[in-house]
Amino acid sequence: MLTQEELIRKLAKSNKYQTLFTYFKESGVQFFRNNTDYTQIQITFLNWLNFYSTIYLDIALDYVSEIVLENNTYEDAYFYYKSKNKTKMYEEKTKKVSKKDKNIETQTTGSFTWVMKNKPSKK
Amino acid sequence: MEKEQLEALKKEINDVKDVANEALSEEVLLGNSFEFEIEGKTYRVSKPTFGQKQEVYKKRVEKFTQLLQDKQLLLEKDLKKQYKERGIDIDEMQKKILELERNKQDLQLKLAQGIIDQISESELKTFREQIESVEEEQLSVAIEKNTLLEFSIEQQIFVFVYIYLTYLIAEIKDENGKWSRVWNKFEDYENEKEDIVKTVTYYSSLLLKDEITG
């Protein structure tokens, strides 16, 4: 039998709640019956929604394959790794992208890395 | 009944329980109050207000002072000393839990690197099994530690806070749809039918999860 935390994760991972969460983040659509005064369990749920939203985004950006969603152990491991290697992962990914497409140019400015399809023209 | 049939039936029952629990969890998540029925009457538990939390805090202090005067009861640190004399080291258990956490994190980094590098599924499975084994060991030590400290004053206070908060947040709906407190005095709650207390406490525990610390 699933524990309460496992059930919350299952709901947070579902298409239904991921879609609602996107609307909630982008246009402030009411997510819970209460608009304010969230319970601790609602805050935990929002954290899990954010956790899965991040993983789905990383899959879409090709940072990681869908196999990560196979079980909680893979998901937790990936998220822990990501929190430890955030910058490294991004740099590795941009290197891979530049190898794939020679027209793509990367420029690092401060903490941001800009990825451009075409080289900027030199004036 | 054949063993396989029994296993299949057990799985089916658990699946049904999961669906029921899922619906319940979803309902609890969607609002900061939750309604349910017991013996044809509608009850409600809601997120504690600031005032209710303040009241609980006062009661907690009172209860702590009361328990502290009882020479039969021990604080966690005194209980730990007594266990140590009997050869049980609670601090070592805590160290073990942290050490296992570090092992788990090392394995998690390896597993995640494997996922990113797209190593074979069997290799991923090996890492997964290793992590789950560490987690099981960690859980077993944590349960042992909590069981040993169950009768400390601190643990009794923690349970009391949950119970007192349940008493404060539980409401009942009358025939006109008006909500009022289920129990006006804590003694009324303590003398209530066990079934009602158990059910209300179960639902309030779903809503109060992580709401109270220490």
Side-chain angles (χ1 to χ4, degrees):
Chain A
M1 220 169 102
L2 298 177
T3 63
Q4 196 184 15
E5 175 158 311
E6 285 167 337
L7 286 168
I8 292 175
R9 286 184 75 152
K10 197 175 165 192
L11 291 171
K13 193 176 175 176
S14 69
N15 276 339
K16 175 185 164 185
Y17 281 107
Q18 277 301 315
T19 309
L20 283 171
F21 185 56
T22 307
Y23 287 129
F24 171 72
K25 280 194 298 184
E26 288 172 4
S27 48
V29 166
Q30 185 165 349
F31 194 75
F32 298 118
R33 281 197 291 267
N34 49 313
N35 255 336
T36 54
D37 205 18
Y38 297 145
T39 59
Q40 201 52 49
I41 201 168
Q42 287 179 318
I43 293 166
T44 305
F45 185 46
L46 287 173
N47 286 334
W48 282 119
L49 283 161
N50 195 49
F51 173 96
Y52 282 109
S53 163
T54 307
I55 294 183
Y56 282 122
L57 182 66
D58 284 1
I59 293 170
L61 292 172
D62 208 17
Y63 284 6
V64 67
S65 72
E66 274 192 63
I67 202 163
V68 71
L69 291 171
E70 204 168 288
N71 54 66
N72 290 352
T73 308
Y74 289 3
E75 292 161 1
D76 291 342
Y78 176 69
F79 216 81
Y80 179 65
Y81 177 94
K82 193 176 157 74
S83 71
K84 290 272 163 195
N85 301 284
K86 222 169 191 175
T87 322
K88 192 181 144 202
M89 275 178 75
Y90 197 83
E91 282 168 2
E92 276 175 8
K93 186 67 200 169
T94 47
K95 267 183 212 162
K96 274 187 198 169
V97 171
S98 58
K99 272 182 195 168
K100 267 190 204 167
D101 187 346
K102 284 181 183 172
N103 290 326
I104 291 176
E105 176 102 342
T106 63
Q107 277 186 4
T108 305
T109 317
S111 58
F112 293 100
T113 302
W114 299 96
V115 182
M116 286 162 275
K117 264 282 180 193
N118 299 302
K119 286 182 183 180
S121 58
K122 285 175 189 168
K123 288 182 182 173
Chain B
M1 196 183 281
E2 294 289 323
K3 198 182 166 198
E4 290 82 30
Q5 281 177 306
L6 194 66
E7 286 304 314
L9 189 64
K10 269 188 197 167
K11 193 190 172 300
E12 210 168 299
I13 291 169
N14 277 339
D15 286 349
V16 171
K17 278 185 184 169
D18 281 347
V19 171
N21 279 344
E22 202 172 312
L24 180 62
S25 283
E26 195 169 359
E27 198 48 41
V28 171
L29 282 175
L30 293 179
N32 55 7
S33 69
F34 178 67
E35 291 179 25
F36 50 95
E37 289 211 353
I38 312 172
E39 296 172 4
K41 289 179 182 167
T42 310
Y43 290 76
R44 178 172 78 177
V45 284
S46 308
K47 184 190 171 186
T49 61
F50 179 70
Q52 286 168 329
K53 284 185 179 173
Q54 288 293 101
E55 192 179 335
V56 168
Y57 181 75
K58 277 185 202 160
K59 285 283 166 192
R60 186 175 163 179
V61 175
E62 264 175 41
K63 189 79 180 172
F64 185 76
T65 316
Q66 180 203 330
L67 295 181
L68 207 56
Q69 283 164 359
D70 189 336
K71 300 292 172 208
Q72 305 271 336
L73 299 172
L74 295 173
L75 288 163
E76 264 186 23
K77 67 176 183 62
D78 298 322
L79 205 50
K80 280 181 188 175
K81 260 188 221 166
Q82 290 210 358
Y83 279 126
K84 206 163 188 177
E85 284 166 17
R86 290 176 177 230
I88 303 166
D89 196 333
I90 305 266
D91 290 333
E92 273 305 311
M93 286 183 183
Q94 186 55 35
K95 276 185 199 161
K96 179 81 184 162
I97 292 170
L98 294 176
E99 187 195 316
L100 288 166
E101 185 60 26
R102 281 190 292 271
N103 290 352
K104 182 177 127 182
Q105 287 171 346
D106 288 343
L107 287 165
Q108 281 182 314
L109 291 178
K110 286 177 189 163
L111 170 61
Q113 191 64 62
I115 293 170
I116 291 166
D117 295 341
Q118 300 187 358
I119 60 171
S120 73
E121 283 196 31
S122 63
E123 285 174 290
L124 292 180
K125 199 178 161 215
T126 308
F127 281 127
R128 181 188 172 186
E129 283 166 356
Q130 285 173 346
I131 290 172
E132 286 172 355
S133 149
V134 172
E135 281 174 340
E136 270 173 33
E137 196 182 342
Q138 205 176 19
L139 186 65
S140 139
V141 180
I143 289 172
E144 193 186 349
K145 182 190 149 209
N146 289 344
T147 309
L148 288 166
L149 294 176
E150 193 184 341
F151 300 108
S152 68
I153 290 179
E154 288 89 337
Q155 283 303 309
Q156 290 193 50
I157 294 289
F158 184 73
V159 173
F160 172 77
V161 165
Y162 247 103
I163 289 172
Y164 200 83
L165 211 40
T166 298
Y167 148 73
L168 284 179
I169 64 172
E171 292 173 292
I172 190 164
K173 193 153 83 172
D174 67 17
E175 54 274 15
N176 301 316
K178 203 179 158 207
W179 291 101
S180 59
R181 293 266 301 271
V182 181
W183 305 285
N184 290 319
K185 289 181 287 177
F186 190 58
E187 294 75 47
D188 296 342
Y189 168 85
E190 286 178 308
N191 295 323
E192 181 61 272
K193 282 189 340 198
E194 199 182 342
D195 281 0
I196 295 179
V197 169
K198 273 187 179 170
T199 313
V200 175
T201 308
Y202 171 69
Y203 288 121
S204 79
S205 72
L206 292 177
L207 194 78
L208 293 175
K209 191 177 183 289
D210 302 330
E211 206 73 47
I212 310 161
T213 46

